Amino acid sequence: MTALPRSAPSSQATDAHGIVAFLDALDALEAVDGVAGIEPHSVMLLRHGHVIAEAWWSPYSARGLHQLYSLSKSFTSTAAGLAWADKLLDLDAPVLSYFPELDAEVTDPRSRSILVRHIASMSAGHTTEQWNRALDIDHDEPVRGFLLDPPDGTPGVTFAYSQTTTHVLGAIVQRVTGSTLLDYLRPRLLEPLGIDGIDEMFWLQHPPGRDIGFAGLHATTETVARLGQLYLQGGAWEGRQLLAPEWVAEATRTQVDSSNWGGPESDWAQGYGFQFWMSRHGYRGDGACGQLCVVLPEQDAVLAMTGEAEDMQAVLDAAWTHLLPAFDREGSEAADAALAHRLTALQLPFPDGDEVSESEFTAATSVLRKLERIGLTPHTLTLHEQDGTTTTLPLLAGAWPPPTGHLTARATRTAEDTVTVHLQFTQTPHKLLITCDLRTGTFDAQWRTMPLMARSISSLAAVADPGRRQAEWPARRS
């Protein structure tokens, strides 16, 4: 991999005090009214093509893959841009023309009028999220479900953030190219970008063999940063035009009005492009729970982040408040040193307490599907699931152990009768909070933020296994 150049912030006309203030602001965003606070997992900030700040909070790491959720959509857009440049994709063609086997079934003129550019811009005409309705119609072929559910608004005008539109766009790309989205992107984009570990990247699928497009891509933070830098550079990379500049321009400008998504200060109300959100400053790809790729053309900067955050507007507000003023403000070696110190030895927080003793607990409720019993010793946590699956994880005092199967844990006796366990799924934003009662021998489990797809321990922890890469969706409703 060709390494991105690294520089001190001051050498790229950036005051590191602003970066420290941004990180401090994230730390200060605590849980309010049941909404979880901000928990960063990684951050990478580029200025003038140089990495000026980067960090990972243990147990997350630079080489670790992270579920990007809807930030995956921007990669689907990029694949569509490549197919468009190869003349395999026509933005002004009806979606139905790519699925001729459905032509006789899809008779409603509203569905027949949906164009490829409409699904690329979330303006297929449905007024609400349509994914579950598509699955209800045809769980095994959501494209059919999409086309058999006519829009109740106007295609090309009505905006609704709907997973199905991106899924159908990805399905078209995969049909015309004869490969999955990820396989199509590898030689045309990921390899020329110099992305490390591209063979390890994966995308969840539904139906089998089709990358779902709207979520499920697992990639590193630097992969996200490089994609943002490619768009910032108009699709050019090291003297090669990887992505057509015309596509970059169209994808990153307003294609449809999204002002129904909040007031004037909302970064979700600034317009939507081709699988990119417009922002009050620049534009971005983003995914649930805090996955971000913010591109700032005026500042020649890119911010890539992963984490666990329900209030993503607060993250963007902190960036506008602290990072923007730091650009083109004189820095100093002292400020650079303060930032370097701030970014050392970071780890996810965990409550103080005493070492745990050997004990066993059974589930008090069925909050977590399949987990029925856990066993603790001072050095291990063992999880017993209803299907007979047993997972044993090491415990270390004062630190997060290295992940085992993309799963790691900490456990502490936080009160006389209470043991608290944090179970971290290190290829996702999510952790499971397990509270054990020493008096009753029972435990309760609660997600800090609810996973949007698989919700069992075995499916979340083992999703990197090639045999486990199917997204979990509800069964067809009767």
Side-chain angles (χ1 to χ4, degrees):
M1 178 180 71
T2 303
L4 291 171
R6 264 68 178 175
S7 297
S10 61
S11 69
Q12 301 302 322
T14 304
D15 180 5
H17 284 127
I19 305 174
V20 172
F22 170 65
L23 297 171
D24 289 346
L26 297 184
D27 283 348
L29 292 168
E30 299 178 348
V32 176
D33 296 331
V35 176
I38 308 301
E39 183 180 273
H41 295 165
S42 71
V43 63
M44 182 174 281
L45 181 63
L46 279 66
R47 184 92 202 276
H48 305 321
H50 291 241
V51 178
I52 60 171
E54 59 184 321
W56 286 262
W57 280 253
S58 177
Y60 292 89
S61 65
R63 289 188 59 86
L65 303 179
H66 203 282
Q67 156 73 284
L68 299 184
Y69 279 129
S70 285
L71 180 49
S72 308
K73 292 178 170 71
S74 298
F75 288 84
T76 299
S77 173
T78 305
L82 293 168
W84 173 81
D86 287 343
K87 302 189 184 307
L88 299 173
L89 183 72
D90 182 354
L91 287 170
D92 293 311
V95 168
L96 183 58
S97 67
Y98 290 93
F99 303 96
E101 71 277 15
L102 301 176
D103 186 75
E105 280 189 275
V106 181
T107 58
D108 194 292
R110 293 168 295 177
S111 292
R112 296 180 72 90
S113 71
I114 300 171
L115 305 180
V116 173
R117 68 170 59 251
H118 299 155
I119 59 172
S121 59
M122 295 281 184
S123 61
H126 301 95
T127 58
T128 59
E129 169 65 62
Q130 196 257 355
W131 177 249
N132 285 337
R133 298 201 303 275
L135 291 180
D136 284 347
I137 294 169
D138 193 332
H139 185 273
D140 296 329
E141 182 44 272
V143 173
R144 179 173 176 271
F146 169 75
L147 289 169
L148 290 177
D149 179 31
D152 49 342
T154 304
V157 176
T158 303
F159 172 80
Y161 191 77
S162 179
Q163 314 309 318
T164 324
T165 58
T166 317
H167 180 80
V168 175
L169 178 65
I172 292 174
V173 173
Q174 290 169 96
R175 175 165 286 202
V176 299
T177 63
S179 64
T180 65
L181 292 173
L182 194 53
D183 286 344
Y184 184 60
L185 286 171
R186 278 193 176 104
R188 292 165 178 82
L189 183 86
L190 303 179
E191 289 176 4
L193 283 180
I195 290 172
D196 195 15
I198 60 173
D199 291 335
E200 300 168 8
M201 292 173 60
F202 65 93
W203 211 316
L204 297 182
Q205 296 187 336
H206 181 83
R210 181 190 300 164
D211 295 344
I212 62 175
F214 60 81
L217 179 61
H218 290 64
T220 64
T221 309
E222 185 160 332
T223 298
V224 173
R226 287 177 181 246
L227 182 75
Q229 188 66 31
L230 175 71
Y231 273 83
L232 182 62
Q233 295 170 178
W237 192 268
E238 295 182 344
R240 293 179 58 187
Q241 194 69 44
L242 302 183
L243 192 60
E246 298 87 353
W247 182 268
V248 172
E250 289 297 295
T252 61
R253 74 170 181 86
T254 298
Q255 296 286 339
V256 63
D257 177 47
S258 66
S259 57
N260 59 328
W261 268 60
E265 295 304 306
S266 168
D267 279 290
W268 280 262
Q270 309 305 314
Y272 197 78
F274 289 157
Q275 308 297 306
F276 284 90
W277 290 95
M278 305 304 104
S279 295
R280 285 177 290 163
H281 305 277
Y283 56 88
R284 72 190 190 282
D286 68 34
C289 303
Q291 323 323 308
L292 283 168
C293 179
V294 181
V295 181
L296 300 169
E298 290 187 15
Q299 291 78 23
D300 194 22
V302 173
L303 172 65
M305 290 187 66
T306 64
E308 186 178 23
E310 290 189 344
D311 188 356
M312 291 175 63
Q313 184 63 67
V315 178
L316 293 171
D317 289 344
W320 309 150
T321 300
H322 300 290
L323 291 183
L324 289 182
F327 299 131
D328 297 322
R329 190 172 69 196
E330 185 177 358
S332 66
E333 291 185 4
D336 294 341
L339 173 63
H341 178 73
R342 176 72 170 76
L343 295 178
T344 57
L346 295 171
Q347 65 171 326
L348 299 188
F350 192 83
D352 293 331
D354 297 328
E355 188 177 82
V356 300
S357 56
E358 187 167 346
S359 48
E360 190 166 290
F361 304 89
T362 57
T365 66
S366 58
V367 170
L368 180 66
R369 180 160 46 98
K370 297 184 180 180
L371 182 62
E372 63 177 6
R373 186 164 47 92
I374 66 173
L376 282 166
T377 75
H379 305 294
T380 60
L381 166 68
T382 302
L383 308 166
H384 302 274
E385 298 185 69
Q386 291 176 359
D387 62 2
T389 302
T390 299
T391 305
T392 299
L393 303 171
L395 298 175
L396 294 178
W400 289 90
T404 300
H406 313 297
L407 187 65
T408 189
R410 290 197 62 185
T412 300
R413 186 166 179 167
T414 50
E416 182 178 356
D417 298 313
T418 305
V419 172
T420 301
V421 178
H422 283 195
L423 193 60
Q424 195 78 36
F425 298 81
T426 56
Q427 284 196 336
T428 83
H430 304 294
K431 70 157 54 70
L432 189 69
L433 306 178
I434 304 174
T435 303
C436 306
D437 190 325
L438 291 165
R439 296 165 301 179
T440 63
T442 61
F443 71 85
D444 286 311
Q446 181 178 9
W447 292 106
R448 187 175 185 271
T449 57
M450 183 69 72
L452 302 183
M453 297 180 193
R455 294 180 185 176
S456 66
I457 286 177
S458 56
S459 59
L460 273 172
V463 73
D465 181 340
R468 303 294 292 274
R469 293 181 183 172
Q470 300 304 307
E472 290 186 4
W473 308 116
R476 183 198 292 262
R477 300 173 188 172
S478 58

